[in-house]
Amino acid sequence: MGHPNTPQLPSAPTEIADLYPESDGKPMAETERHFRELVKNMNRIENHLAPIPDVYVLGDMMMYYEEGNPRKSISPDIFVAFGIGRKERRIYKIWEEGKPPDFVLEFASKGTYRNDLTRKVELYAEIGISEYFVYDVDRRYLPRPLMGFRLVGDAYVEISALANGGIFAETLNLEFHDLEAGLGIYDPAVEAWVKTAAEAAETRAEDAETRADQEADARQQAESEVARLQAELERLKARL
């Protein structure tokens, strides 16, 4: 029996669920460029899919794929899962969600590119993720800066590029492109590039400014035409 003044230590967790860490201790991205590309494109995908109520878009979250084995985990840069709702999550347990994500996008770097094209290709196929895309931000490590894989049976098949150079993701109905400025995402349904919420707001503001300028020009032209007609009318009256 312990001394009455001895503080009681918390008991060790008895549930295996308590043993799933929320972080792997690794940085979110290898470089600032990787970080900016990750955040920008996650925001673009999230903004594009915002009208769909049951889609979950996130990145750098610990994902566990074997119940009872906390070592079986991975942390995708960006993933999209349809049909699971948008409730706040701290980790993603595939057996609790009832399904794996539908789409994963990784940003390859010097420290990750080997795994991106070997272990992750095998693992994401084994987990059952329908499409896996990987983008080489520095354009120096992968065979091609942008590569996509689609699950056929129980293995991935590389997706061929479109005539315009993009790679089509069936799960998202979007095209991914390697552009001079970085990764671009294009929506062929509306023939427009996918934007972050901030980019979309800036575009709306620019469009509003353009419309205002056009309306001002139209008013000025109308006023000039009225003045011309009035002058012509006065000239005709003077002849009478």
Side-chain angles (χ1 to χ4, degrees):
M1 187 173 187
H3 190 279
N5 293 325
T6 302
Q8 297 297 309
L9 297 175
S11 59
T14 57
E15 297 292 333
I16 192 69
D18 296 329
L19 302 179
Y20 296 99
E22 296 176 5
S23 171
D24 58 7
K26 298 177 182 178
M28 185 175 182
E30 188 168 296
T31 67
E32 179 182 347
R33 180 184 297 178
H34 284 78
F35 175 80
R36 291 185 182 279
E37 283 290 316
L38 191 161
V39 172
K40 176 176 62 180
N41 286 288
M42 182 171 67
N43 288 341
R44 284 172 173 168
I45 295 171
E46 188 174 31
N47 188 46
H48 176 73
L49 297 176
I52 304 175
D54 64 346
V55 63
Y56 188 69
V57 181
L58 205 69
D60 197 43
M61 173 180 280
M62 291 297 292
M63 181 181 299
Y64 294 92
Y65 51 90
E66 184 177 305
E67 186 174 5
N69 190 349
R71 300 183 67 178
K72 298 293 186 178
S73 66
I74 196 163
S75 181
D77 286 337
I78 298 174
F79 68 87
V80 180
F82 292 94
I84 66 170
R86 289 180 177 165
K87 68 178 183 180
E88 184 176 345
R89 294 166 172 82
R90 303 182 73 89
I91 58 176
Y92 192 109
K93 298 177 183 177
I94 289 179
W95 62 92
E96 288 187 358
E97 300 294 348
K99 59 170 292 186
D102 299 277
F103 174 88
V104 162
L105 172 62
E106 296 279 12
F107 293 89
S109 65
K110 182 178 180 181
T112 70
Y113 77 94
R114 291 183 178 88
N115 275 338
D116 292 332
L117 286 185
T118 54
R119 173 178 174 264
K120 290 179 182 177
V121 170
E122 295 175 358
L123 178 58
Y124 287 148
E126 180 183 339
I127 292 173
I129 294 171
S130 298
E131 287 181 321
Y132 166 46
F133 279 47
V134 56
Y135 180 62
D136 185 350
V137 176
D138 297 318
R139 300 184 179 91
R140 66 173 66 174
Y141 301 112
L142 299 183
R144 289 168 296 286
L146 177 63
M147 302 177 70
F149 303 89
R150 183 170 297 132
L151 196 61
V152 178
D154 58 359
Y156 279 133
V157 174
E158 186 173 355
I159 304 169
S160 299
L162 302 168
N164 61 15
I167 300 179
F168 184 66
E170 288 183 349
T171 51
L172 307 181
N173 290 317
L174 295 173
E175 297 175 8
F176 286 74
H177 291 256
D178 174 37
L179 305 177
E180 185 176 349
L183 184 64
I185 307 176
Y186 185 77
D187 182 359
V190 297
E191 299 182 342
W193 293 98
V194 175
K195 303 178 184 297
T196 67
E199 289 171 337
E202 182 178 355
T203 298
R204 287 194 297 271
E206 291 173 351
D207 290 346
E209 183 177 352
T210 298
R211 287 194 298 272
D213 290 342
Q214 291 173 342
E215 291 171 359
D217 288 342
R219 282 196 300 271
Q220 185 175 7
Q221 291 174 10
E223 290 169 357
S224 297
E225 180 64 12
V226 169
R228 186 189 69 79
L229 292 173
Q230 287 177 338
E232 181 67 15
L233 180 60
E234 292 299 323
R235 186 178 66 80
L236 291 174
K237 286 181 178 179
R239 289 183 176 182
L240 294 177

